[in-house]
Structure formats: structure tokens, C-alpha cells
Amino acid sequence: MSQLTVGQYQFIYNAFSFSIATMGAATVFFFLGRGQVSKGYRTAITVTGLVTLIAFYHYLRIFSSWEAAYSVVNGTIRATGAAFNDAYRYVDWLLTVPLLLIELILVMKLSGAETTAKGTRLGVLAAIMVALGYPGEIASSLGMRWIFWVLAMIPFLAIVIELFVGLRASIDKQPQEVRGMVSAARWITVLSWCFYPVVYIFPMIGFTGGAATTAVQVGYTVADIVAKVAFGVFIYVIAVKKSAAEMPEVPLTVPRLVDVS
Amino acid sequence: MSQLTVGQYQFIYNAFSFSIATMGAATVFFFLGRGQVSKGYRTAITVTGLVTLIAFYHYLRIFSSWEAAYSVVNGTIRATGAAFNDAYRYVDWLLTVPLLLIELILVMKLSGAETTAKGTRLGVLAAIMVALGYPGEIASSLGMRWIFWVLAMIPFLAIVIELFVGLRASIDKQPQEVRGMVSAARWITVLSWCFYPVVYIFPMIGFTGGAATTAVQVGYTVADIVAKVAFGVFIYVIAVKKSAAEMPEVPLTVPRLVDVS
């Protein structure tokens, strides 16, 4: 990482700050927007906001760790000796990646038993996937990195199969007006997640030095914003549409004796 | 920037602090005021508050960066060696400028399809405009600065055309009592935004040294307050008026059998 230029250092620094602002704003959006959906969808939106809140916290830590790891002296970057703590990302994913899948299951409003079964299976697979990625991330040899990459891909593929095969019947039962969006939400999940194993192998395919560090840090940051915020907005819109379909607004001509808002 | 006088340094410093106070207070106002408008306008007010919240965060960062970049020693300003991070402004605008246009679209309450179409088009144009401004801002040559100024003006003009031609029919359909205000909101947008390209060219028209730095920093700060807070209050008043017009308050003489609020 010592080959970082000042421009690369600052680009990563600004990307982290951008993520803090985005995750924080998204959290407020989801928590305020909770009241706009009917009760059956509020837990889905709560979880959506928790994901961005957890990421907001971790990006604050990542930002501070990055700031502490380097100093700019007379236009050059010097490592201060304090190591940049990459583990924050894995701690974040260990919490947020299972929650992201649970968001999707909750907004589908399956039966209680199905919600528990599918939420648990997907959540556990996601946690195993993240846990298997970490030993490779901190491994000093490229061989170990490859081994854990392959191991983490097994639960990842199991998640993809569960989303596209296991959930097919449930998606067909979604209301007409949101079926396409729920299906698209799976695609956002899978496509945005594909980014992580790709970024992970950058150092393994000869991509090293400051450019690799920049690609990895900015790549993970962009992937996090897509997977958590863009995906979350999608979940929110699905919840708003389903709420509206289930409970049409009372026409103004009808006397409103009871106002439960 | 080394030609800054102590007075100029402090003026900028105080302008940043003023902006922190204004953005923070505006955020609280919008979030508390959300409950005063009917459900259909709450998302518009949420977005209005998010814009000032994001700006509040960035002004805290800008203030700290400014404080770290200079020290006042025996009545003269010395650069500490830590660079003032101008990128915070662009990171802020990348998020807030699209959201400002989305605020306007949301408060107009168009059809779902129109909201998505117009919101997406204006939001993307705004993001492109900001992204094109940044390479010029950090360019060392005035030629590059002019090139990116011209490039960023293209999406800016497209936004102006969209606001004044594309939205004309939708504005004519707004309720009588707010039509003038919605139309004026476009003018606030365009006029407050004109400030940015003007401030941007200060260094290109021979305006250099401490006076230029002061004009740029204070100019951007004032423009941000007008474009985000004053514009936001306008959006809020439109939402309050439209809410009142759509759902007249129940006269007090009507017995209120059940009030579960």
C-alpha cells in the first residue's frame, strides 16, 4: 500500500466520506418512511434502515482508520505505522448481509413458517459466506486467498439457487403490480454481490500497488452503496406499492369517523 | 491561498460555522414539520430534510478541514501543510443536487410514472453536471477549468429546459393556490444554481489570492443556503398549502366520536 499517490489516497478518503453521508441519509429516509407503509411491511423497512445504520457506523470507523493510517507530508503519502483495519468490512457484512436477505423475505410477506424457514436458511448461508471470505482476505499467501475464495463461493451459489429456484413459487404468488420488482430485487442482490468476489481477486490476478488498493476500496464502497441503499430503496418502493394495493385510500366523500393515522 | 489575511480566514471560518447552524436547524425544522403535511407530501419533505442533513454533515467536515489547513501564528496565517479538502463540496452536490430536483417533482405530485420518469431524468442530469465540474475544479491549468466548465453547462442547460419546457404542462395542472409558488420554485432553483458557475470562473477571470478564496468559499456557502434551505422552506410551504386544499380540516362543531391519534 506504500505506493499510494496523494490523489489515490484522497480519492479513497472522499469515497469513504461519500459513503458515510449516503448511509446516514438512507437510514434517516428508511426510518422516517416506515410510517408510510402498512404495519405488515414495517419490519422489512426497519431491517432495511438497520442495514444502512450498521454500515454508517462502520464507514465512520473505516474513515477514521484510513485517516490514522496515512499522513500527507509535503505532498507525499507516508504510512504512519497504524494499520488500516480491513476487518471493519467483514464485521459489517457479517451483520448486514444476512439482514439484506431477510429484508427481501420480509417484504414478500410469506407465511410465518416460510418466513422463518427461508430467512434462517438464507441468513445462515450469508453469514457462512462472509466468515469464509475473511481468512482469505488476511492470508499472506495467494494460495490461501484462492482456497477461501472458492470456499466462500459455495454458500454464495447456494444463496443464488435459493433465490432463483427456492423462491420462484413464492414470487409467482406476489401481487401483479410488484411481481416484476420483487424479481428484480433478487437480480440486484446477485449482481451487486458479484462485485465482491471480483474485487477480492484483484490482488490475485496481478493487480497490485496503489491502483489495486484504490480499486479494492472504492469498489467495495460502491458495491456496498448499491447492495444496501439502492436495494433498500427498491424494497421500500415494493412495500409502499403493496401497502397501497392492500389498503386503498378512503375516498374523501366518506365521513371519517375513525382516524387512525 | 497563502495570501489569506487573518480577517479573510476568519470570515470564511465563520461562514462555515453559520452554514452548520443553518443546515442543522433546517433539518430539524423539516423533519418535525413532516407531520404537518398530508401523507402524499411527506416523502417530499423527507427528501428536503435529507438534503440539509447531508449538507450539515459536509459543512462539519469542511469546517474541520479548514481549521486543520491553517493556523494563526502571531497575527498571520500559516498553512499547516494539510490541504483544505475542496472535494467535500462536490461529494455533497453529487448527492444533494439530484435530491433537490426530486423534491420539486415530489411536491408536484404527478402520476407515479411521470414522477419516476422526470425524477430520474433530472436526477441523472444533475449528477452528470456535478461530476463534470469536479475535474475542472482540481485542474491546475485554466484551460482545463474552462473545458469542464463548458461541459458541465450542457447538462445544466438541459435541466433548465426540462424545468421550463418539460414541466410546463404539469405546472399548469397544479392547484390554483400553489401554481405561482411551484413556478417560482423553478426560478429559485435556476437562479441560485447560476451562482455556482459564476463562482467557479472567479479564478479564471483574474480574481486570485485571498480575495478570490474568500469569494469562492463564502459564495458557495451562501448559494448552498439559498438552494437548500430557502428552496426547502418554499417546498414545505407548497406542501402545507396543498395538504390544506386537499383535506379541509374537520370543523370543530362536528362531534369527534373516536380520536385515536
Side-chain angles (χ1 to χ4, degrees), chain B:
Chain B
M1 309 235 278
S2 54
Q3 306 99 314
L4 273 180
T5 66
V6 173
Q8 286 167 338
Y9 170 78
Q10 284 174 337
F11 185 45
I12 295 171
Y13 184 96
N14 290 319
F16 291 161
S17 179
F18 177 78
S19 188
I20 293 171
T22 309
M23 296 295 179
T27 304
V28 174
F29 175 78
F30 295 131
F31 287 163
L32 291 178
R34 247 182 111 250
Q36 308 281 101
V37 304
S38 59
K39 281 205 168 183
Y41 299 103
R42 290 207 186 138
T43 307
I45 306 306
T46 301
V47 174
T48 304
L50 290 183
V51 165
T52 52
L53 177 64
I54 293 167
F56 172 71
Y57 165 76
H58 284 115
Y59 272 98
L60 285 174
R61 291 273 186 217
I62 287 170
F63 182 87
S64 301
S65 179
W66 184 253
E67 225 179 359
Y70 299 97
S71 59
V72 184
V73 181
N74 298 325
T76 58
I77 294 293
R78 290 210 196 137
T80 58
F84 174 62
N85 185 12
D86 243 335
Y88 285 131
R89 295 200 178 279
Y90 282 83
V91 173
D92 179 83
W93 295 335
L94 198 59
L95 286 164
T96 56
V97 175
L99 290 176
L100 283 168
L101 293 170
I102 290 168
E103 264 174 51
L104 179 62
I105 297 298
L106 285 173
V107 88
M108 289 176 72
K109 214 186 193 178
L110 310 173
S111 71
E114 260 190 304
T115 300
T116 308
K118 296 211 183 283
T120 306
R121 192 179 320 154
L122 285 167
V124 169
L125 282 170
I128 292 173
M129 173 179 77
V130 173
L132 284 172
Y134 188 60
E137 187 77 77
I138 57 166
S140 46
S141 82
L142 287 187
M144 287 301 274
R145 208 174 159 90
W146 274 115
I147 288 169
F148 283 101
W149 184 84
V150 171
L151 288 177
M153 286 308 275
I154 298 168
F156 181 60
L157 291 177
I159 291 169
V160 173
I161 291 168
E162 182 67 28
L163 289 177
F164 285 91
V165 181
L167 285 183
R168 190 183 292 154
S170 313
I171 286 176
D172 290 342
K173 274 181 269 170
Q174 291 292 304
Q176 178 67 43
E177 56 268 49
V178 295
R179 202 175 301 151
M181 285 193 80
V182 174
S183 176
R186 297 179 306 179
W187 280 102
I188 297 183
T189 304
V190 171
L191 292 178
S192 66
W193 290 15
C194 278
F195 219 81
Y196 298 94
V198 171
V199 169
Y200 193 95
I201 59 172
F202 279 169
M204 292 122 90
I205 52 173
F207 205 12
T208 56
T213 301
T214 310
V216 168
Q217 295 304 333
V218 176
Y220 279 152
T221 304
V222 171
D224 273 351
I225 291 172
V226 173
K228 294 175 165 90
V229 179
F231 177 77
V233 170
F234 226 75
I235 295 292
Y236 177 72
V237 173
I238 291 170
V240 169
K241 289 196 176 204
K242 288 181 82 171
S243 301
E246 286 168 22
M247 195 187 291
E249 280 185 49
V250 178
L252 283 175
T253 49
V254 172
R256 302 180 65 176
L257 294 179
V258 183
D259 179 22
V260 189
S261 58

Side-chain angles (χ1 to χ4, degrees), chain A residues 3-216:
Chain A
Q3 305 99 315
L4 273 180
T5 66
V6 173
Q8 286 166 340
Y9 169 77
Q10 283 174 338
F11 186 46
I12 295 171
Y13 183 96
N14 289 318
F16 291 161
S17 178
F18 176 78
S19 190
I20 292 171
T22 309
M23 295 296 178
T27 305
V28 174
F29 176 79
F30 296 131
F31 288 163
L32 289 177
R34 243 181 115 255
Q36 306 280 96
V37 305
S38 60
K39 283 204 166 179
Y41 299 103
R42 291 207 185 139
T43 308
I45 306 305
T46 301
V47 174
T48 305
L50 290 183
V51 166
T52 52
L53 178 64
I54 294 167
F56 171 71
Y57 165 76
H58 283 116
Y59 272 97
L60 285 174
R61 291 274 186 219
I62 288 170
F63 183 87
S64 301
S65 178
W66 184 253
E67 224 178 1
Y70 299 97
S71 60
V72 183
V73 182
N74 298 324
T76 58
I77 295 292
R78 290 211 195 136
T80 57
F84 174 61
N85 184 13
D86 244 335
Y88 286 132
R89 294 199 178 281
Y90 282 83
V91 175
D92 179 83
W93 296 334
L94 198 60
L95 286 164
T96 57
V97 176
L99 291 175
L100 282 168
L101 293 170
I102 290 168
E103 265 175 49
L104 180 62
I105 297 298
L106 285 173
V107 88
M108 289 176 71
K109 214 185 194 178
L110 309 173
S111 70
E114 262 190 302
T115 300
T116 308
K118 297 210 183 283
T120 307
R121 191 179 320 153
L122 284 167
V124 169
L125 283 170
I128 293 173
M129 173 179 77
V130 173
L132 284 171
Y134 188 59
E137 187 78 78
I138 57 166
S140 46
S141 82
L142 287 188
M144 288 301 275
R145 208 173 158 91
W146 274 115
I147 288 168
F148 284 99
W149 184 83
V150 170
L151 288 176
M153 285 309 275
I154 298 168
F156 180 59
L157 291 177
I159 291 169
V160 173
I161 291 167
E162 182 66 29
L163 289 177
F164 284 91
V165 182
L167 285 183
R168 190 183 292 155
S170 312
I171 286 177
D172 289 343
K173 274 181 269 169
Q174 290 293 302
Q176 178 68 43
E177 56 269 47
V178 295
R179 202 175 300 152
M181 285 193 81
V182 174
S183 176
R186 297 180 307 178
W187 280 102
I188 297 182
T189 304
V190 172
L191 292 178
S192 66
W193 289 16
C194 277
F195 219 83
Y196 297 95
V198 171
V199 169
Y200 193 94
I201 59 171
F202 279 170
M204 291 122 91
I205 52 172
F207 204 12
T208 56
T213 302
T214 310
V216 168

